[in-house]
Coordinates of all heavy atoms in Angstrom, one line a residue:
M48 N 17.0 -28.5 -183.5 CA 17.7 -27.3 -184.0 C 17.4 -26.1 -183.1 O 16.3 -25.8 -182.8 CB 17.2 -27.0 -185.4 CG 17.9 -25.8 -186.1 SD 19.6 -26.1 -186.4 CE 20.0 -24.8 -187.6
I49 N 18.5 -25.5 -182.6 CA 18.3 -24.3 -181.7 C 18.0 -23.1 -182.5 O 18.5 -22.9 -183.6 CB 19.6 -24.2 -180.9 CG1 19.5 -23.0 -179.9 CG2 20.8 -24.0 -181.7 CD1 19.5 -23.4 -178.5
E50 N 17.1 -22.3 -181.9 CA 16.6 -21.1 -182.6 C 17.2 -19.8 -182.0 O 17.5 -19.8 -180.8 CB 15.1 -21.0 -182.5 CG 14.4 -21.9 -183.4 CD 12.9 -21.7 -183.5 OE1 12.5 -20.6 -183.0 OE2 12.2 -22.6 -183.9
A51 N 17.4 -18.8 -182.8 CA 17.8 -17.5 -182.3 C 16.7 -16.9 -181.5 O 15.5 -17.1 -181.7 CB 18.2 -16.6 -183.5
L52 N 17.1 -16.0 -180.5 CA 16.1 -15.3 -179.7 C 15.4 -14.3 -180.5 O 16.0 -13.7 -181.4 CB 16.8 -14.6 -178.5 CG 17.5 -15.5 -177.5 CD1 18.3 -14.6 -176.5 CD2 16.5 -16.4 -176.8
N53 N 14.1 -14.1 -180.2 CA 13.4 -13.0 -180.9 C 13.8 -11.7 -180.2 O 14.5 -11.7 -179.2 CB 11.9 -13.3 -180.9 CG 11.3 -13.3 -179.5 OD1 11.7 -12.5 -178.6 ND2 10.3 -14.1 -179.2
E54 N 13.3 -10.6 -180.8 CA 13.8 -9.3 -180.3 C 13.4 -9.1 -178.8 O 14.2 -8.5 -178.0 CB 13.3 -8.2 -181.2 CG 14.0 -6.9 -181.0 CD 13.9 -6.0 -182.2 OE1 13.6 -6.5 -183.3 OE2 14.1 -4.8 -181.9
T55 N 12.2 -9.4 -178.4 CA 11.8 -9.2 -177.1 C 12.6 -10.0 -176.1 O 13.1 -9.4 -175.1 CB 10.3 -9.7 -176.9 OG1 9.5 -9.1 -178.0 CG2 9.7 -9.3 -175.6
D56 N 12.8 -11.3 -176.4 CA 13.6 -12.1 -175.5 C 15.1 -11.6 -175.4 O 15.7 -11.7 -174.4 CB 13.6 -13.6 -175.9 CG 12.2 -14.2 -175.6 OD1 11.4 -13.6 -174.9 OD2 11.9 -15.2 -176.2
R57 N 15.6 -11.2 -176.6 CA 17.0 -10.8 -176.6 C 17.2 -9.5 -175.8 O 18.1 -9.4 -175.0 CB 17.4 -10.5 -178.1 CG 18.9 -10.2 -178.2 CD 19.3 -10.1 -179.6 NE 18.6 -8.9 -180.2 CZ 18.0 -8.9 -181.4 NH1 18.0 -10.0 -182.2 NH2 17.5 -7.8 -181.9
T58 N 16.2 -8.5 -175.9 CA 16.3 -7.3 -175.2 C 16.3 -7.6 -173.7 O 17.0 -7.0 -172.9 CB 15.1 -6.4 -175.6 OG1 15.2 -6.2 -177.0 CG2 15.2 -5.0 -174.8
E59 N 15.4 -8.5 -173.3 CA 15.2 -8.8 -171.9 C 16.5 -9.5 -171.4 O 17.0 -9.2 -170.3 CB 14.1 -9.8 -171.7 CG 13.5 -9.9 -170.4 CD 12.2 -10.7 -170.4 OE1 11.2 -10.2 -171.0 OE2 12.2 -11.8 -169.9
A60 N 17.1 -10.4 -172.1 CA 18.3 -11.1 -171.7 C 19.5 -10.1 -171.6 O 20.3 -10.2 -170.7 CB 18.6 -12.2 -172.7
L61 N 19.6 -9.2 -172.6 CA 20.7 -8.3 -172.5 C 20.6 -7.3 -171.4 O 21.7 -6.9 -170.8 CB 20.8 -7.5 -173.9 CG 21.1 -8.3 -175.1 CD1 21.1 -7.5 -176.3 CD2 22.5 -8.9 -174.9
A62 N 19.4 -7.0 -170.9 CA 19.3 -6.1 -169.8 C 19.8 -6.8 -168.5 O 20.3 -6.1 -167.6 CB 17.8 -5.8 -169.6
D63 N 19.9 -8.1 -168.5 CA 20.4 -8.8 -167.3 C 21.9 -9.1 -167.4 O 22.5 -9.8 -166.6 CB 19.7 -10.2 -167.1 CG 18.3 -10.0 -166.6 OD1 18.0 -8.9 -166.0 OD2 17.4 -10.8 -166.8
L64 N 22.5 -8.6 -168.5 CA 23.9 -8.9 -168.8 C 24.7 -7.6 -169.0 O 25.2 -7.3 -170.1 CB 24.1 -9.8 -170.0 CG 23.6 -11.3 -169.8 CD1 23.6 -12.0 -171.1 CD2 24.4 -12.0 -168.8
P65 N 24.8 -6.7 -168.0 CA 25.3 -5.4 -168.2 C 26.8 -5.3 -168.6 O 27.2 -4.3 -169.2 CB 25.1 -4.7 -166.8 CG 24.9 -5.8 -165.8 CD 24.3 -6.9 -166.6
E66 N 27.5 -6.4 -168.4 CA 28.9 -6.5 -168.7 C 29.1 -6.8 -170.2 O 30.3 -6.7 -170.7 CB 29.7 -7.5 -167.9 CG 29.5 -7.4 -166.4 CD 30.2 -6.1 -165.9 OE1 31.1 -5.6 -166.5 OE2 29.8 -5.7 -164.8
W67 N 28.1 -7.1 -170.9 CA 28.2 -7.6 -172.3 C 27.6 -6.5 -173.2 O 26.7 -5.8 -173.0 CB 27.4 -8.9 -172.4 CG 28.0 -10.0 -171.6 CD1 27.8 -10.2 -170.3 CD2 28.9 -11.0 -172.1 NE1 28.6 -11.3 -169.9 CE2 29.2 -11.8 -171.0 CE3 29.4 -11.3 -173.3 CZ2 30.1 -12.9 -171.1 CZ3 30.3 -12.4 -173.5 CH2 30.6 -13.2 -172.3
D68 N 28.3 -6.4 -174.4 CA 27.9 -5.6 -175.5 C 27.2 -6.4 -176.6 O 27.7 -7.5 -176.9 CB 29.0 -4.8 -176.0 CG 29.6 -3.8 -175.0 OD1 28.8 -3.1 -174.3 OD2 30.8 -3.7 -174.9
H69 N 26.2 -5.8 -177.2 CA 25.6 -6.5 -178.3 C 26.3 -6.1 -179.6 O 26.4 -4.9 -179.9 CB 24.1 -6.2 -178.4 CG 23.4 -7.0 -179.4 ND1 22.4 -6.4 -180.2 CD2 23.5 -8.3 -179.8 CE1 21.9 -7.4 -181.0 NE2 22.6 -8.5 -180.8
D70 N 26.8 -7.1 -180.4 CA 27.4 -6.8 -181.7 C 26.2 -7.1 -182.7 O 25.9 -8.2 -183.0 CB 28.5 -7.8 -181.9 CG 29.2 -7.7 -183.3 OD1 28.5 -7.3 -184.2 OD2 30.3 -8.1 -183.4
E71 N 25.7 -6.0 -183.2 CA 24.5 -6.2 -184.0 C 24.8 -6.8 -185.4 O 23.9 -7.6 -185.9 CB 23.8 -4.8 -184.2 CG 23.2 -4.2 -183.0 CD 22.3 -3.0 -183.2 OE1 21.9 -2.8 -184.3 OE2 22.1 -2.3 -182.2
A72 N 25.9 -6.5 -185.9 CA 26.3 -7.1 -187.2 C 26.3 -8.6 -187.1 O 25.8 -9.3 -188.1 CB 27.6 -6.6 -187.7
R73 N 26.7 -9.2 -186.0 CA 26.8 -10.7 -185.9 C 25.7 -11.3 -185.1 O 25.6 -12.5 -185.0 CB 28.2 -11.0 -185.2 CG 29.4 -10.7 -186.0 CD 30.2 -11.8 -186.5 NE 29.9 -13.1 -186.3 CZ 30.7 -14.0 -185.7 NH1 31.9 -13.7 -185.3 NH2 30.3 -15.3 -185.6
D74 N 24.9 -10.4 -184.5 CA 23.9 -10.8 -183.5 C 24.7 -11.7 -182.5 O 24.4 -12.9 -182.3 CB 22.7 -11.5 -184.0 CG 21.6 -11.7 -183.0 OD1 21.7 -11.0 -181.9 OD2 20.7 -12.5 -183.2
A75 N 25.6 -11.1 -181.8 CA 26.5 -11.8 -180.8 C 26.6 -10.9 -179.6 O 26.3 -9.7 -179.7 CB 27.9 -12.0 -181.4
I76 N 27.1 -11.4 -178.5 CA 27.5 -10.6 -177.4 C 29.0 -10.7 -177.1 O 29.5 -11.8 -177.4 CB 26.6 -10.9 -176.1 CG1 26.6 -12.4 -175.8 CG2 25.2 -10.4 -176.3 CD1 25.9 -12.7 -174.5
T77 N 29.6 -9.6 -176.7 CA 31.0 -9.6 -176.5 C 31.3 -9.1 -175.1 O 30.6 -8.2 -174.5 CB 31.7 -8.7 -177.5 OG1 31.2 -7.4 -177.4 CG2 31.5 -9.2 -178.9
R78 N 32.4 -9.6 -174.5 CA 32.9 -9.0 -173.3 C 34.4 -9.1 -173.3 O 35.0 -10.1 -173.6 CB 32.3 -9.8 -172.1 CG 32.8 -9.3 -170.7 CD 32.2 -9.9 -169.5 NE 32.8 -9.3 -168.3 CZ 32.6 -9.6 -167.1 NH1 31.7 -10.5 -166.8 NH2 33.3 -9.0 -166.1
R79 N 35.0 -8.0 -172.8 CA 36.5 -8.0 -172.6 C 36.7 -8.2 -171.1 O 36.2 -7.4 -170.3 CB 37.1 -6.7 -173.1 CG 38.5 -6.5 -172.7 CD 39.2 -5.4 -173.4 NE 39.5 -5.9 -174.8 CZ 40.2 -5.1 -175.7 NH1 40.7 -3.9 -175.3 NH2 40.4 -5.6 -176.9
I80 N 37.6 -9.1 -170.7 CA 37.9 -9.3 -169.3 C 39.4 -9.2 -169.1 O 40.2 -9.8 -169.9 CB 37.4 -10.8 -168.9 CG1 35.9 -11.0 -169.2 CG2 37.6 -10.9 -167.4 CD1 35.6 -12.4 -169.5
V81 N 39.8 -8.3 -168.2 CA 41.2 -8.1 -168.0 C 41.5 -8.7 -166.6 O 40.9 -8.4 -165.6 CB 41.5 -6.6 -168.0 CG1 43.0 -6.4 -167.7 CG2 41.2 -6.0 -169.4
F82 N 42.5 -9.6 -166.6 CA 43.0 -10.3 -165.4 C 44.3 -9.7 -164.9 O 44.9 -8.8 -165.5 CB 43.1 -11.7 -165.7 CG 41.8 -12.4 -166.0 CD1 41.4 -12.5 -167.4 CD2 41.0 -13.0 -165.0 CE1 40.2 -13.1 -167.7 CE2 39.8 -13.6 -165.4 CZ 39.4 -13.6 -166.7
A83 N 44.7 -10.2 -163.7 CA 46.0 -9.6 -163.2 C 47.2 -10.0 -164.1 O 48.1 -9.2 -164.2 CB 46.2 -10.2 -161.8
D84 N 47.1 -11.2 -164.6 CA 48.3 -11.7 -165.4 C 47.8 -12.8 -166.3 O 46.6 -13.2 -166.4 CB 49.4 -12.1 -164.5 CG 49.0 -13.1 -163.5 OD1 48.0 -13.9 -163.7 OD2 49.5 -13.2 -162.4
F85 N 48.8 -13.4 -167.1 CA 48.4 -14.4 -168.0 C 47.9 -15.7 -167.4 O 47.0 -16.3 -167.9 CB 49.7 -14.8 -168.9 CG 49.5 -15.9 -169.8 CD1 48.7 -15.8 -170.9 CD2 50.0 -17.2 -169.5 CE1 48.5 -16.9 -171.8 CE2 49.8 -18.2 -170.3 CZ 49.1 -18.1 -171.5
I86 N 48.5 -16.0 -166.2 CA 48.0 -17.3 -165.6 C 46.6 -17.2 -165.1 O 45.8 -18.1 -165.3 CB 48.9 -17.6 -164.3 CG1 50.3 -18.1 -164.8 CG2 48.3 -18.5 -163.4 CD1 50.2 -19.5 -165.5
E87 N 46.2 -16.0 -164.7 CA 44.8 -15.8 -164.3 C 43.9 -15.9 -165.5 O 42.8 -16.5 -165.5 CB 44.6 -14.4 -163.6 CG 45.2 -14.3 -162.3 CD 44.6 -15.1 -161.2 OE1 43.3 -15.2 -161.3 OE2 45.3 -15.5 -160.3
A88 N 44.3 -15.3 -166.6 CA 43.5 -15.3 -167.8 C 43.4 -16.7 -168.4 O 42.3 -17.2 -168.8 CB 44.2 -14.4 -168.9
F89 N 44.5 -17.4 -168.4 CA 44.5 -18.8 -168.9 C 43.7 -19.7 -168.0 O 43.0 -20.6 -168.5 CB 45.9 -19.3 -169.1 CG 45.9 -20.4 -170.1 CD1 45.8 -20.2 -171.5 CD2 46.1 -21.7 -169.7 CE1 45.8 -21.2 -172.4 CE2 46.1 -22.8 -170.6 CZ 46.0 -22.5 -171.9
G90 N 43.8 -19.5 -166.7 CA 43.0 -20.3 -165.8 C 41.5 -20.1 -166.0 O 40.7 -21.1 -166.0
F91 N 41.1 -18.9 -166.3 CA 39.7 -18.6 -166.6 C 39.3 -19.3 -167.9 O 38.2 -20.0 -168.0 CB 39.5 -17.1 -166.8 CG 38.3 -16.7 -167.6 CD1 37.1 -16.6 -167.0 CD2 38.4 -16.3 -169.0 CE1 36.0 -16.3 -167.8 CE2 37.3 -16.0 -169.7 CZ 36.1 -15.9 -169.1
M92 N 40.2 -19.3 -168.9 CA 39.8 -19.9 -170.2 C 39.7 -21.4 -170.0 O 38.9 -22.1 -170.6 CB 40.9 -19.6 -171.2 CG 40.9 -18.1 -171.6 SD 42.2 -17.7 -172.8 CE 41.5 -18.1 -174.3
T93 N 40.5 -22.0 -169.1 CA 40.5 -23.4 -168.9 C 39.1 -23.8 -168.2 O 38.5 -24.8 -168.6 CB 41.6 -23.8 -167.9 OG1 42.8 -23.4 -168.5 CG2 41.6 -25.3 -167.7
Q94 N 38.7 -23.0 -167.3 CA 37.4 -23.3 -166.7 C 36.2 -23.1 -167.7 O 35.3 -24.0 -167.7 CB 37.1 -22.2 -165.5 CG 38.0 -22.4 -164.3 CD 37.6 -21.4 -163.2 OE1 36.6 -21.5 -162.6 NE2 38.5 -20.5 -163.0
V95 N 36.3 -22.1 -168.5 CA 35.3 -21.9 -169.5 C 35.3 -23.1 -170.6 O 34.2 -23.5 -171.0 CB 35.4 -20.5 -170.2 CG1 34.4 -20.4 -171.4 CG2 35.2 -19.4 -169.2
A96 N 36.5 -23.5 -170.9 CA 36.6 -24.6 -171.9 C 35.9 -25.9 -171.4 O 35.2 -26.5 -172.2 CB 38.1 -24.9 -172.1
L97 N 36.0 -26.2 -170.1 CA 35.3 -27.3 -169.6 C 33.8 -27.2 -169.6 O 33.1 -28.1 -170.0 CB 35.7 -27.6 -168.1 CG 37.2 -27.9 -168.0 CD1 37.6 -28.1 -166.5 CD2 37.6 -29.2 -168.7
I98 N 33.3 -26.0 -169.3 CA 31.9 -25.7 -169.4 C 31.4 -25.8 -170.9 O 30.3 -26.3 -171.2 CB 31.6 -24.3 -168.8 CG1 31.8 -24.3 -167.3 CG2 30.1 -23.9 -169.1 CD1 31.8 -23.0 -166.7
A99 N 32.2 -25.2 -171.8 CA 31.9 -25.2 -173.2 C 31.7 -26.6 -173.7 O 30.8 -26.9 -174.5 CB 32.9 -24.5 -174.0
E100 N 32.6 -27.5 -173.3 CA 32.5 -28.9 -173.7 C 31.2 -29.6 -173.2 O 30.6 -30.3 -173.9 CB 33.7 -29.7 -173.3 CG 34.9 -29.6 -174.3 CD 34.4 -30.2 -175.7 OE1 34.3 -31.4 -175.8 OE2 34.2 -29.4 -176.6
R101 N 31.0 -29.3 -171.9 CA 29.8 -29.9 -171.3 C 28.5 -29.4 -172.0 O 27.6 -30.1 -172.2 CB 29.8 -29.5 -169.8 CG 29.0 -30.4 -168.9 CD 29.4 -30.3 -167.5 NE 29.2 -29.0 -166.9 CZ 30.0 -28.3 -166.1 NH1 31.1 -28.8 -165.8 NH2 29.7 -27.1 -165.7
M102 N 28.5 -28.1 -172.3 CA 27.3 -27.5 -173.0 C 27.3 -27.8 -174.5 O 26.3 -27.4 -175.1 CB 27.3 -26.0 -172.8 CG 27.0 -25.5 -171.4 SD 27.1 -23.7 -171.2 CE 25.8 -23.2 -172.3
N103 N 28.4 -28.3 -175.0 CA 28.5 -28.3 -176.5 C 28.3 -27.0 -177.1 O 27.5 -26.9 -178.1 CB 27.6 -29.4 -177.1 CG 28.0 -29.7 -178.5 OD1 29.1 -29.5 -178.9 ND2 27.0 -30.1 -179.3
H104 N 28.8 -26.0 -176.5 CA 28.6 -24.6 -177.0 C 29.9 -23.8 -176.8 O 30.4 -23.7 -175.6 CB 27.5 -23.9 -176.3 CG 27.0 -22.7 -176.9 ND1 26.5 -22.7 -178.2 CD2 27.0 -21.4 -176.6 CE1 26.1 -21.5 -178.5 NE2 26.5 -20.7 -177.6
H105 N 30.5 -23.3 -177.8 CA 31.9 -22.9 -177.7 C 32.1 -21.4 -178.1 O 31.6 -20.9 -179.1 CB 32.8 -23.7 -178.7 CG 32.7 -25.2 -178.4 ND1 31.7 -26.0 -178.9 CD2 33.4 -26.0 -177.5 CE1 31.8 -27.2 -178.4 NE2 32.9 -27.3 -177.6
P106 N 32.8 -20.7 -177.2 CA 33.0 -19.3 -177.5 C 34.0 -19.0 -178.6 O 34.9 -19.8 -178.9 CB 33.6 -18.8 -176.2 CG 34.2 -19.9 -175.5 CD 33.5 -21.1 -176.0
E107 N 33.8 -17.9 -179.3 CA 34.9 -17.3 -180.1 C 35.7 -16.4 -179.2 O 35.0 -15.6 -178.5 CB 34.3 -16.5 -181.3 CG 33.5 -17.4 -182.2 CD 33.0 -16.6 -183.4 OE1 33.6 -15.6 -183.8 OE2 31.9 -17.0 -183.9
W108 N 37.0 -16.6 -179.1 CA 37.7 -15.7 -178.2 C 39.1 -15.6 -178.6 O 39.7 -16.3 -179.4 CB 37.6 -16.3 -176.7 CG 38.0 -17.7 -176.5 CD1 38.6 -18.5 -177.4 CD2 37.8 -18.5 -175.3 NE1 38.8 -19.8 -176.8 CE2 38.3 -19.8 -175.5 CE3 37.2 -18.2 -174.1 CZ2 38.3 -20.8 -174.6 CZ3 37.2 -19.2 -173.1 CH2 37.8 -20.5 -173.4
S109 N 39.8 -14.6 -178.0 CA 41.2 -14.4 -178.1 C 41.8 -13.9 -176.8 O 41.1 -13.4 -176.0 CB 41.5 -13.4 -179.3 OG 41.1 -12.2 -178.9
N110 N 43.1 -14.2 -176.7 CA 43.8 -13.9 -175.5 C 45.1 -13.2 -175.8 O 45.8 -13.7 -176.7 CB 44.0 -15.2 -174.7 CG 45.2 -15.1 -173.7 OD1 46.1 -15.8 -173.7 ND2 45.0 -14.2 -172.7
V111 N 45.3 -12.1 -175.2 CA 46.6 -11.4 -175.3 C 47.1 -11.2 -173.8 O 46.4 -10.4 -173.1 CB 46.6 -10.1 -176.1 CG1 47.9 -9.4 -176.1 CG2 46.1 -10.4 -177.5
Y112 N 48.1 -11.9 -173.4 CA 48.6 -11.7 -172.0 C 47.5 -11.8 -170.9 O 47.0 -13.0 -170.7 CB 49.5 -10.4 -171.9 CG 50.0 -10.2 -170.5 CD1 50.6 -11.2 -169.7 CD2 49.8 -8.9 -169.9 CE1 51.0 -11.0 -168.4 CE2 50.3 -8.7 -168.6 CZ 50.9 -9.7 -167.9 OH 51.3 -9.5 -166.6
N113 N 47.1 -10.7 -170.4 CA 46.1 -10.8 -169.3 C 44.7 -10.5 -169.7 O 43.8 -10.4 -168.9 CB 46.5 -9.8 -168.1 CG 46.4 -8.4 -168.6 OD1 46.5 -8.1 -169.8 ND2 46.3 -7.5 -167.6
R114 N 44.5 -10.4 -171.0 CA 43.2 -10.0 -171.6 C 42.6 -11.1 -172.3 O 43.2 -11.8 -173.1 CB 43.5 -8.8 -172.5 CG 42.2 -8.0 -172.9 CD 42.6 -6.8 -173.7 NE 42.9 -7.2 -175.1 CZ 43.9 -6.7 -175.9 NH1 44.7 -5.8 -175.4 NH2 44.0 -7.1 -177.1
V115 N 41.3 -11.3 -172.1 CA 40.5 -12.2 -172.9 C 39.3 -11.5 -173.5 O 38.5 -10.9 -172.8 CB 40.0 -13.4 -172.1 CG1 39.3 -14.5 -172.9 CG2 41.2 -14.1 -171.3
D116 N 39.2 -11.6 -174.8 CA 38.0 -11.1 -175.5 C 37.1 -12.2 -175.9 O 37.6 -13.1 -176.7 CB 38.4 -10.3 -176.8 CG 39.1 -8.9 -176.4 OD1 38.4 -8.2 -175.7 OD2 40.2 -8.7 -176.8
V117 N 35.9 -12.2 -175.5 CA 34.9 -13.3 -175.7 C 33.8 -12.8 -176.6 O 33.3 -11.7 -176.4 CB 34.3 -13.8 -174.4 CG1 33.4 -15.0 -174.6 CG2 35.4 -14.1 -173.4
L118 N 33.5 -13.6 -177.6 CA 32.3 -13.3 -178.4 C 31.4 -14.6 -178.4 O 31.9 -15.7 -178.6 CB 32.7 -13.0 -179.8 CG 31.5 -12.6 -180.8 CD1 32.0 -11.6 -181.8 CD2 31.0 -13.9 -181.5
L119 N 30.1 -14.4 -178.1 CA 29.2 -15.5 -178.0 C 28.1 -15.3 -179.0 O 27.5 -14.3 -179.1 CB 28.6 -15.6 -176.6 CG 29.5 -15.8 -175.4 CD1 28.7 -15.8 -174.1 CD2 30.3 -17.1 -175.5
T120 N 27.9 -16.3 -179.8 CA 26.8 -16.4 -180.8 C 26.6 -17.9 -181.1 O 27.5 -18.7 -180.8 CB 27.0 -15.6 -182.0 OG1 25.8 -15.4 -182.7 CG2 28.1 -16.2 -182.9
T121 N 25.4 -18.2 -181.6 CA 25.1 -19.6 -181.9 C 25.2 -19.8 -183.4 O 24.3 -19.3 -184.2 CB 23.8 -20.0 -181.3 OG1 23.8 -19.7 -179.9 CG2 23.4 -21.4 -181.6
H122 N 26.2 -20.5 -183.9 CA 26.4 -20.6 -185.3 C 25.3 -21.4 -186.0 O 24.8 -21.0 -187.1 CB 27.8 -21.3 -185.6 CG 28.9 -20.7 -184.9 ND1 29.7 -21.3 -183.9 CD2 29.4 -19.4 -184.9 CE1 30.6 -20.4 -183.5 NE2 30.4 -19.3 -184.1
D123 N 24.8 -22.4 -185.3 CA 23.7 -23.2 -185.8 C 22.4 -22.4 -186.0 O 21.5 -22.8 -186.7 CB 23.4 -24.4 -184.9 CG 24.6 -25.4 -184.9 OD1 25.5 -25.3 -185.8 OD2 24.7 -26.2 -183.9
A124 N 22.3 -21.3 -185.2 CA 21.0 -20.5 -185.2 C 21.2 -19.2 -186.0 O 20.2 -18.5 -186.2 CB 20.6 -20.2 -183.8
G125 N 22.4 -18.9 -186.4 CA 22.7 -17.7 -187.1 C 22.5 -16.4 -186.2 O 22.2 -15.3 -186.7
G126 N 22.7 -16.6 -184.9 CA 22.5 -15.4 -184.0 C 22.5 -15.9 -182.6 O 22.8 -17.0 -182.2
L127 N 22.1 -14.9 -181.7 CA 22.1 -15.2 -180.3 C 21.0 -16.2 -179.9 O 19.8 -16.0 -180.4 CB 21.8 -13.9 -179.5 CG 22.9 -13.0 -179.0 CD1 22.2 -11.9 -178.1 CD2 23.9 -13.8 -178.2
S128 N 21.3 -17.1 -179.1 CA 20.3 -18.1 -178.6 C 20.4 -18.2 -177.1 O 21.3 -17.6 -176.5 CB 20.5 -19.5 -179.2 OG 21.6 -20.1 -178.5
A129 N 19.5 -18.9 -176.5 CA 19.5 -19.1 -175.0 C 20.8 -19.7 -174.6 O 21.2 -19.4 -173.4 CB 18.3 -20.0 -174.6
R130 N 21.5 -20.5 -175.4 CA 22.8 -21.1 -175.0 C 23.8 -20.0 -174.8 O 24.7 -20.1 -173.9 CB 23.3 -22.0 -176.1 CG 22.6 -23.3 -176.0 CD 23.2 -24.3 -177.0 NE 22.2 -25.3 -177.3 CZ 22.2 -26.1 -178.4 NH1 23.2 -26.0 -179.3 NH2 21.3 -27.0 -178.5
D131 N 23.8 -18.9 -175.6 CA 24.7 -17.8 -175.3 C 24.5 -17.1 -174.0 O 25.4 -16.7 -173.3 CB 24.6 -16.8 -176.5 CG 24.9 -17.5 -177.8 OD1 26.1 -18.1 -178.0 OD2 24.1 -17.5 -178.7
I132 N 23.2 -17.0 -173.7 CA 22.8 -16.3 -172.5 C 23.3 -17.2 -171.3 O 23.9 -16.7 -170.3 CB 21.3 -16.1 -172.4 CG1 20.8 -15.3 -173.6 CG2 20.9 -15.4 -171.1 CD1 21.5 -14.0 -173.9
D133 N 23.1 -18.5 -171.4 CA 23.5 -19.4 -170.3 C 25.1 -19.3 -170.2 O 25.6 -19.3 -169.0 CB 23.1 -20.8 -170.6 CG 21.6 -21.0 -170.5 OD1 20.9 -20.2 -170.0 OD2 21.1 -22.1 -171.0
M134 N 25.7 -19.3 -171.3 CA 27.2 -19.3 -171.3 C 27.7 -17.9 -170.7 O 28.6 -17.9 -169.9 CB 27.7 -19.4 -172.7 CG 29.2 -19.3 -172.9 SD 30.2 -20.6 -172.1 CE 30.0 -21.9 -173.3
A135 N 27.1 -16.8 -171.1 CA 27.5 -15.5 -170.5 C 27.3 -15.5 -169.0 O 28.1 -15.0 -168.3 CB 26.6 -14.4 -171.2
Q136 N 26.2 -16.1 -168.5 CA 26.0 -16.1 -167.1 C 27.0 -17.0 -166.4 O 27.5 -16.6 -165.3 CB 24.5 -16.6 -166.8 CG 23.5 -15.6 -167.1 CD 22.1 -16.2 -167.1 OE1 21.9 -17.4 -167.1 NE2 21.1 -15.3 -167.1
A137 N 27.4 -18.1 -167.0 CA 28.4 -18.9 -166.4 C 29.7 -18.2 -166.4 O 30.5 -18.3 -165.4 CB 28.5 -20.2 -167.2
I138 N 30.1 -17.5 -167.4 CA 31.3 -16.7 -167.5 C 31.3 -15.6 -166.4 O 32.3 -15.4 -165.7 CB 31.5 -16.1 -168.9 CG1 31.9 -17.2 -169.9 CG2 32.6 -15.0 -168.9 CD1 32.0 -16.8 -171.3
D139 N 30.2 -14.9 -166.3 CA 30.1 -13.8 -165.3 C 30.3 -14.4 -163.9 O 30.9 -13.8 -163.0 CB 28.7 -13.2 -165.3 CG 28.6 -12.2 -166.5 OD1 29.6 -11.9 -167.2 OD2 27.5 -11.7 -166.7
A140 N 29.7 -15.6 -163.7 CA 29.9 -16.3 -162.3 C 31.3 -16.6 -162.1 O 31.8 -16.4 -160.9 CB 29.0 -17.5 -162.3
I141 N 32.1 -17.1 -163.1 CA 33.5 -17.4 -162.9 C 34.3 -16.1 -162.6 O 35.1 -16.1 -161.7 CB 34.1 -18.1 -164.1 CG1 33.4 -19.5 -164.2 CG2 35.6 -18.2 -164.0 CD1 33.7 -20.2 -165.6
V142 N 34.0 -15.1 -163.4 CA 34.8 -13.8 -163.2 C 34.4 -13.2 -161.9 O 35.3 -12.7 -161.2 CB 34.4 -12.8 -164.3 CG1 35.1 -11.5 -164.1 CG2 34.9 -13.4 -165.7
G143 N 33.2 -13.3 -161.5 CA 32.8 -12.7 -160.2 C 33.3 -13.4 -159.0 O 33.3 -12.9 -157.9
E144 N 33.8 -14.7 -159.2 CA 34.3 -15.4 -158.0 C 35.6 -14.8 -157.4 O 36.0 -15.1 -156.3 CB 34.6 -16.9 -158.4 CG 33.4 -17.7 -158.4 CD 33.6 -19.1 -159.0 OE1 34.8 -19.4 -159.3 OE2 32.7 -19.8 -159.3
D145 N 36.4 -14.2 -158.3 CA 37.7 -13.7 -157.8 C 37.6 -12.6 -156.8 O 36.8 -11.7 -156.9 CB 38.6 -13.2 -159.0 CG 38.5 -14.3 -160.1 OD1 38.4 -15.5 -159.8 OD2 38.6 -13.8 -161.3
Ligands
H2B453 C1 28.1 -30.3 -184.1 C2 28.1 -29.5 -182.8 O1 27.1 -29.9 -181.9 C3 27.8 -28.0 -183.2 O2 28.7 -27.6 -184.2 C4 27.9 -27.1 -182.0 C5 29.3 -27.0 -181.3 N1 29.5 -25.7 -180.7 C6 28.9 -24.6 -181.0 N2 29.2 -23.4 -180.5 C7 28.6 -22.3 -180.9 N3 29.0 -21.1 -180.3 N4 27.6 -22.3 -181.7 C8 27.2 -23.5 -182.3 O3 26.2 -23.4 -183.1 C9 27.8 -24.7 -181.9 N5 27.4 -25.8 -182.4

């Protein structure tokens, strides 16, 4: 069973993820990513989907045209876990590649 991060570890992890906001109500992190167009946005989602399947860890997200809103939390842990931090770093790496 995966555990939620304690406050010290969460604070440390969030400091390394400046593009992400902490949603305290859900103990989740969120990021809005705006792409040039729908194809870029959907291409990003396709890459993340493959990683999510590999990690068995799935984002909550929505897409409107060129915008993707991502929320990461670990349902099994009831809050943020190391898996969310790994996923956020993977997402940042994909976005940073363009
Ligand atoms: C049964 C399966 O392993 C679990 O439901 C996985 C799938 N993907 C998941 N994704 C997320 N974000 N949180 C989870 O707790 C989670 N659990």
Side-chain angles (χ1 to χ4, degrees):
M48 182 69 165
I49 180 113
E50 285 188 16
L52 293 176
N53 66 35
E54 196 159 338
T55 309
D56 290 343
R57 190 177 62 226
T58 303
E59 202 169 293
L61 291 176
D63 287 337
L64 295 170
E66 305 293 339
W67 295 79
D68 293 316
H69 187 219
D70 176 336
E71 291 191 21
R73 297 247 358 237
D74 192 17
I76 50 175
T77 61
R78 180 173 177 184
R79 168 167 289 184
I80 307 151
V81 178
F82 296 90
D84 53 29
F85 174 73
I86 284 296
E87 293 288 328
F89 201 77
F91 161 79
M92 294 176 83
T93 305
Q94 290 182 71
V95 174
L97 297 176
I98 293 169
E100 271 302 284
R101 205 159 62 222
M102 288 176 64
N103 191 27
H104 195 64
H105 302 88
E107 296 182 31
W108 56 8
S109 65
N110 160 239
V111 178
Y112 177 47
N113 64 339
R114 190 176 82 219
V115 181
D116 286 305
V117 182
L118 182 148
L119 301 177
T120 192
T121 301
H122 308 119
D123 296 342
L127 266 187
S128 76
R130 279 186 205 158
D131 300 302
I132 306 307
D133 292 347
M134 174 70 80
Q136 286 168 346
I138 287 174
D139 284 353
I141 291 169
V142 174
E144 276 170 12
D145 312 329

